[in-house]
């Protein structure tokens, strides 16, 4: 059963005189993965800093478990909110275990010695984050994606009900990014945690978010990702000159069709997709009504493409494109 | 259950070896010098037994023992100061002198020695002698403390460690400039005294001064050990440290204060001994391949003590009656060791 963990009442955030976002009314529920999505420089980091208590609000309030954030002591707050940041500054000659153990900081005595219970929490965190295979290694030997997973394990060891991640995947490649989001998704489902993650990666956000906080100019709209897409909020949030949102594919694109060259594609859907992809880059646009018809048969390993009215077949898209451009000139 | 066990055993062996090495160097430092004393006799003297040669007894108990203990304290204290500064500022070039503590002490000493025209000070220095003078100790401690106060006042306003580091370096530069101007307007004899002090000396600490030094370094060491948990989370940077519940501002104040206490006291009694503070932490991290301060604090203490003992042995040029300035030896002996270890292990960069 999901319950409200954090709510933001009429908050305004920013630096000194400069208000970045105001009149914010938002809430976070446990067992939900909330993604804060917005373009670069939209105030995502400021919002994250304000929620995690690093930065003071300019107005309004943030309540965690019905207690105002400013009423928490540093140590108590660390038991409620854990943080993962973009940059990984951890020294290379620290073992994974030792790093995850640092997460027990708000619980251990002044000497920092670990009790049996602490050790068990650390082991649990290492397993939950899926880093047990390199628990004995030094951080310096790990890849960026693995390091970030270790940082998440450390945040888990903090045993906080709310985990906030500020662009944790900014330096990671696609498979690692998906891996991290998948991990976070699993954690919300199995551990009754609320997770807030900020990113500017639209595709992953749409795929994994239970709920979006979408920064649209100076307001933050919330909802299920698909609803926000259909309401046009996503397009509004990331709008830029000449760039538009493809509601079929769920991606932003900038049309590069130079002249009005239509092409009608049919056949194997996978081939049609990638053929359309290549043709669009070369100035064509795919439409049913076009006179130029291309039929793509065969499998993705062995494609066989024909242009209507041409007595030839092509086994790679490159050869087909060559033919089309030859025809043009 | 504890995955760290294997490395723990390796490190325990190394720490044991280190402890043994320091003990050996301590004995050697006592035995070697302008007068060679036989090992058996030396041990007898140390255990309070009477030996035939009364002079040996005096040399060991009144000259060499205070000197060796001073070397142990100074080496350990400076290494701990350096370790804390490097972790706090996340910078491999930081050392105990980085915040202007050493230059503050120098300013204090310069104020006493170079206060030209003042008959009282000139008289005092002539009577008390270089290094062993309470006046100099007092002046340098006061100088270090004043610079520290300035730094602490500024640190209260600044929340960023890197900015803090730059401020510290700037304050140090101002202090050095003041000393430099002072030197410019001083008599050559006065400058000579001052320069002698800057060479550093482990031999100037008398028995009653030693008690104070033991006390101060003891407090500093205990404080550093108590700070090791905070130092460990600071390894991840201030933002992470704060998110894990560390009061960053207060911890920084305590770290700066502890370092000042350690480095200020040593500089006051022994002069500005360079190099140890910046090099020993690298040496220790590199050899043990860890950043855990619970291991680094005791090992830095040992490593610093060992290195300064070695330098002291060499500076006395065993078998001859001449003594070289310890400050030159620390760099001359220490630098090649550090270069060798760092090049061999190639893991320095991973610490930062």
């Amino acid at each position: 059963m999901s319950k409200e963990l954090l709510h933001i009442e009429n908050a305004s955030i920013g630096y000194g005189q400069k208000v970045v976002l105001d009149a914010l009314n938002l809430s976070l529920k446990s067992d939900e993965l909330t993604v804060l999505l917005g373009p670069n420089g939209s105030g995502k980091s400021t919002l994250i800093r304000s929620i995690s208590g690093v930065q003071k609000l300019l107005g309004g309030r943030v309540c965690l478990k019905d207690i105002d954030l400013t009423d928490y002591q540093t140590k108590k707050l660390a038991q409620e909110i854990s943080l993962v940041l973009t940059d990984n500054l951890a020294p290379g000659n620290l073992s994974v275990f030792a790093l995850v153990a640092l997460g027990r900081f708000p619980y251990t005595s002044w000497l920092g010695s670990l009790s049996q219970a602490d050790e068990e929490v650390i082991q649990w965190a290492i397993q939950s984050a899926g880093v047990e295979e390199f628990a004995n290694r030094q951080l310096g030997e790990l890849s960026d994606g693995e390091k970030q997973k270790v940082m998440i394990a450390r945040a888990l060891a903090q045993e906080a009900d709310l985990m906030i991640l500020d662009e944790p995947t900014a330096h990671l490649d696609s498979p690692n990014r998906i891996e991290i989001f998948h991990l976070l998704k699993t954690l919300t489902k199995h551990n009754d945690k609320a997770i807030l993650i900020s990113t500017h990666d639209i595709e992953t956000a749409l795929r994994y978010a239970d709920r979006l906080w979408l920064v649209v100019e100076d307001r933050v709209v919330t909802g299920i990702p698909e609803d926000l897409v259909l309401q046009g909020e996503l397009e509004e949030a990331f709008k830029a000159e000449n760039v538009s949102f493809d509601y079929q594919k769920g991606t932003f694109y900038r049309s590069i069709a130079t002249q009005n060259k239509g092409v009608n594609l049919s056949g194997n859907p996978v081939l049609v997709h990638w053929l359309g992809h290549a043709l669009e880059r070369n100035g064509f646009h795919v439409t049913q009504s076009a006179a130029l018809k291309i039929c793509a048969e065969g499998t993705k390993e062995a494609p066989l493409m024909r242009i209507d009215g041409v007595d030839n077949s092509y086994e790679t898209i490159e050869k087909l494109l060559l033919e089309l451009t030859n025809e043009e000139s | 259950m504890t995955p760290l066990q294997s490395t723990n055993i390796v490190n325990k062996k190394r720490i044991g070896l280190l402890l043994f090495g320091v003990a050996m160097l301590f004995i050697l430092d006592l035995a070697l010098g302008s007068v060679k004393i036989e090992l058996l006799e030396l041990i007898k003297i140390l255990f309070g037994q009477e030996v035939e040669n009364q002079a040996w007894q005096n040399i060991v108990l009144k000259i060499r023992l205070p000197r060796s203990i001073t070397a142990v304290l100074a080496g350990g204290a400076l290494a701990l100061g350096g370790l804390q500064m490097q972790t706090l500022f996340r910078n491999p070039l930081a050392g105990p002198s980085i915040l202007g503590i050493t230059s503050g002490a120098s300013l204090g000493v310069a104020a006493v020695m170079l206060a030209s025209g003042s008959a009282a000070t000139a008289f005092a220095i002539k009577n008390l002698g270089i290094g062993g003078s309470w006046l100099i100790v007092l002046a340098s401690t006061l100088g270090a403390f004043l610079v520290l106060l300035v730094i602490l006042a500024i640190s209260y306003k600044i929340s960023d460690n890197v900015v803090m580091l730059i401020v510290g370096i700037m304050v140090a530069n101002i202090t050095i400039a003041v000393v430099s101007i002072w030197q410019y307007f001083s008599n050559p004899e006065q400058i000579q005294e001052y320069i002698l002090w800057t060479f550093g000396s482990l031999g100037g600490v008398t028995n009653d001064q030693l008690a104070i030094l033991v006390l101060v370094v003891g407090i500093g060491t205990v404080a550093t050990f108590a700070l090791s948990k905070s130092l460990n989370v600071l390894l991840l940077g201030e933002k992470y440290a704060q998110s894990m519940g560390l009061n960053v501002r207060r911890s920084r104040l305590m770290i700066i204060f502890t370092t000042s206490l350690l480095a200020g006291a040593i500089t006051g009694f022994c002069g500005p001994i360079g190099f140890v503070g910046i090099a020993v932490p690298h040496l220790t991290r590199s050899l043990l391949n860890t950043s855990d301060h619970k291991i680094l604090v005791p090992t830095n203490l040992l490593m610093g003590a060992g290195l300064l003992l070695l330098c002291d042995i060499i500076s006395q040029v065993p078998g001859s009656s001449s003594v070289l300035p310890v400050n030159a030896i620390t760099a001359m002996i220490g630098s090649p060791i550090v270069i060798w270890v760092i090049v061999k292990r190639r893991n320095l960069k991973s610490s930062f």
Side-chain angles (χ1 to χ4, degrees):
Chain A
M1 192 47 213
S2 73
K3 52 187 188 291
E4 193 179 81
L5 193 67
L6 176 127
H7 69 254
I8 303 171
E9 280 173 29
N10 202 24
S12 64
I13 58 166
Y15 302 88
Q17 297 294 312
K18 192 174 176 286
V19 178
V20 179
L21 294 166
D22 72 346
L24 296 173
N25 286 291
L26 301 160
S27 65
L28 284 176
K29 290 201 188 97
S30 60
D31 81 24
E32 269 193 357
L33 177 64
T34 307
V35 177
L36 170 59
L37 183 66
N40 286 333
S42 57
K44 293 194 298 290
S45 281
T46 318
L47 182 53
I48 292 270
R49 289 167 61 85
S50 303
I51 295 173
S52 52
V54 178
Q55 189 173 333
K56 281 198 180 105
L57 295 173
L58 296 181
R61 60 193 210 128
V62 177
C63 289
L64 179 72
K65 294 182 176 172
D66 296 322
I67 302 168
D68 198 302
L69 214 56
T70 50
D71 292 340
Y72 280 93
Q73 287 178 308
T74 328
K75 213 166 230 183
K76 192 82 187 82
L77 193 64
Q79 298 178 359
E80 301 290 349
I81 301 180
S82 58
L83 207 60
V84 176
L85 305 166
T86 315
D87 294 307
N88 204 325
L89 300 168
N93 53 5
L94 208 60
S95 75
V96 168
F97 183 89
L99 185 99
V100 176
L102 289 181
R104 298 306 292 165
F105 184 88
Y107 300 93
T108 52
S109 67
W110 64 277
L111 264 177
S113 34
L114 301 168
S115 68
Q116 186 67 34
D118 287 324
E119 299 246 5
E120 273 161 27
V121 173
I122 294 164
Q123 290 297 342
W124 164 81
I126 286 176
Q127 266 159 25
S128 303
V131 294
E132 62 266 59
E133 40 171 322
F134 32 84
N136 281 321
R137 305 241 297 268
Q138 301 281 86
L139 281 169
E141 304 165 17
L142 304 183
S143 74
D144 286 347
E146 290 169 334
K147 270 188 208 158
Q148 203 57 296
K149 277 166 110 180
V150 173
M151 291 313 278
I152 290 172
R154 178 207 51 89
L156 282 177
Q158 230 170 300
E159 283 192 304
D161 286 336
L162 173 59
M163 191 194 291
I164 299 178
L165 303 96
D166 189 8
E167 298 255 13
T169 57
H171 299 326
L172 303 184
D173 57 14
S174 228
N176 273 309
R177 209 152 54 210
I178 290 166
E179 183 92 334
I180 297 277
F181 270 86
H182 184 83
L183 167 65
L184 295 172
K185 183 90 181 165
T186 324
L187 289 175
T188 50
K189 290 296 164 250
H190 295 324
N191 298 295
D192 205 30
K193 271 186 199 305
I195 295 185
L196 174 68
I197 171 169
S198 78
T199 183
H200 54 256
D201 174 16
I202 300 163
E203 203 180 322
T204 325
L206 290 183
R207 188 164 302 226
Y208 286 97
D210 288 314
R211 184 173 292 277
L212 273 190
W213 287 7
L214 185 64
V215 188
V216 186
E217 286 183 2
D218 54 353
R219 55 203 176 94
V220 179
V221 292
T222 65
I224 301 297
E226 291 74 14
D227 281 340
L228 294 182
V229 168
L230 295 175
Q231 287 157 14
E233 297 282 15
L234 188 73
E235 185 170 12
E236 180 72 14
F238 285 89
K239 74 165 181 220
E241 230 175 310
N242 301 323
V243 174
S244 20
F245 189 69
D246 185 327
Y247 282 87
Q248 290 257 286
K249 293 179 185 154
T251 53
F252 279 86
Y253 71 100
R254 178 173 176 169
S255 174
I256 37 177
T258 40
Q259 62 253 119
N260 212 2
K261 298 189 288 187
V263 58
N264 180 339
L265 302 179
S266 61
N268 181 337
V270 175
L271 293 179
V272 164
H273 172 82
W274 289 107
L275 189 54
H277 202 266
L279 287 170
E280 273 169 13
R281 186 173 58 245
N282 286 278
F284 292 88
H285 69 109
V286 181
T287 164
Q288 291 289 335
S289 59
L292 177 62
K293 288 190 170 63
I294 297 174
C295 184
E297 295 294 350
T299 59
K300 72 176 169 45
E301 290 84 8
L304 209 62
M305 290 162 286
R306 284 176 195 285
I307 303 172
D308 227 29
V310 179
D311 230 10
N312 220 339
S313 64
Y314 310 92
E315 58 272 29
T316 66
I317 295 175
E318 187 174 358
K319 285 179 182 159
L320 181 91
L321 280 177
L322 199 67
E323 175 65 33
L324 285 173
T325 37
N326 278 347
E327 242 172 56
E328 264 173 51
S329 56
Chain B
M1 184 65 198
T2 42
L4 281 178
Q5 229 153 39
S6 56
T7 44
N8 266 348
I9 289 168
V10 173
N11 277 344
K12 262 184 195 144
K13 268 186 194 164
R14 288 183 183 160
I15 292 168
L17 216 64
L18 203 57
L19 198 63
F20 178 75
V22 171
M24 283 295 106
L25 284 167
F26 189 79
I27 300 290
L28 263 179
D29 194 30
L30 289 176
L32 297 174
S34 50
V35 178
K36 193 171 175 292
I37 295 173
E38 274 160 44
L39 210 58
L40 209 68
E41 299 290 301
L42 177 73
I43 288 163
K44 268 189 188 167
I45 295 168
L46 286 181
F47 281 98
Q49 287 175 1
E50 287 295 317
V51 287
E52 287 167 36
N53 196 331
Q54 192 65 37
W56 283 8
Q57 196 161 355
N58 278 336
I59 289 172
V60 170
L61 292 181
K62 294 211 172 116
I63 299 170
R64 289 193 187 171
L65 196 59
R67 186 188 178 100
S68 297
I69 292 174
T70 307
V72 168
L73 292 173
L78 292 172
L80 285 187
L83 175 69
Q84 291 183 80
M85 289 297 103
Q86 285 173 9
T87 300
L88 179 65
F89 295 119
R90 301 182 48 80
N91 191 320
L93 294 177
S97 56
I98 206 79
L99 288 172
I101 298 154
T102 312
S103 36
S106 305
L107 180 64
V109 173
V112 172
M113 288 185 175
L114 305 179
S116 55
S118 159
T121 45
F123 176 75
I125 288 165
K126 276 199 185 108
N127 272 321
L128 293 166
I130 299 291
S133 152
W134 273 112
L135 190 63
I136 287 170
V137 170
L138 203 69
S140 81
T141 312
L142 208 65
F145 189 67
L146 279 177
V147 170
L148 171 70
L149 278 186
V150 173
I151 303 271
L152 287 184
I154 298 170
S155 98
Y156 193 73
K157 287 238 161 200
I158 295 172
S159 59
D160 190 282
N161 279 350
V162 177
V163 180
M164 197 59 233
L165 178 66
I166 297 168
V167 168
I169 294 171
M170 292 305 124
V171 172
N173 276 319
I174 295 171
T175 323
I176 292 165
V178 172
V179 174
S180 173
I181 290 173
W182 215 321
Q183 277 179 298
Y184 184 76
F185 287 109
S186 299
N187 299 327
E189 304 87 58
Q190 290 169 324
I191 294 176
Q192 197 189 4
E193 305 239 309
Y194 175 74
I195 291 196
L196 271 178
W197 176 79
T198 63
F199 280 143
S201 153
L202 296 170
V205 182
T206 61
N207 270 329
D208 32 326
Q209 288 174 342
L210 198 59
I212 292 176
L213 200 59
V214 169
L215 189 72
V216 173
V217 173
I219 291 171
T221 305
V222 170
T224 313
F225 200 72
L227 281 168
S228 60
K229 183 189 170 192
S230 304
L231 287 165
N232 273 345
V233 270
L234 276 171
L235 285 173
L236 299 186
E238 286 159 84
K239 282 186 195 159
Y240 267 124
Q242 188 179 359
S243 85
M244 287 194 273
L246 181 75
N247 186 332
V248 173
R249 202 165 284 217
R250 197 175 61 197
S251 301
R252 183 175 60 194
L253 265 172
M254 279 157 69
I255 289 168
I256 291 178
F257 189 79
T258 311
T259 303
S260 306
L261 196 67
L262 290 168
I266 298 302
T267 310
F269 285 100
C270 309
I273 295 177
F275 187 78
V276 176
I278 187 167
V280 170
H282 292 310
L283 215 55
T284 327
R285 265 191 297 258
S286 206
L287 285 174
L288 297 177
N289 198 18
T290 183
S291 287
D292 186 349
H293 286 81
K294 271 194 230 88
I295 299 169
L296 286 181
V297 169
T299 44
N300 263 287
L301 202 67
L302 288 174
M303 189 73 88
L307 188 70
L308 209 52
L309 279 171
L310 179 69
C311 291
D312 189 44
I313 294 170
I314 293 165
S315 79
Q316 297 189 65
V317 199
S320 84
S321 57
S322 55
V323 177
L324 299 173
V326 71
N327 221 346
I329 300 298
T330 51
M332 206 146 64
I333 301 306
S335 298
I337 296 178
V338 170
I339 292 171
W340 178 70
V341 168
I342 285 170
V343 169
K344 197 145 190 282
R345 312 267 311 183
R346 288 177 194 279
N347 57 2
L348 169 73
K349 254 199 98 129
S350 63
S351 306
F352 294 94

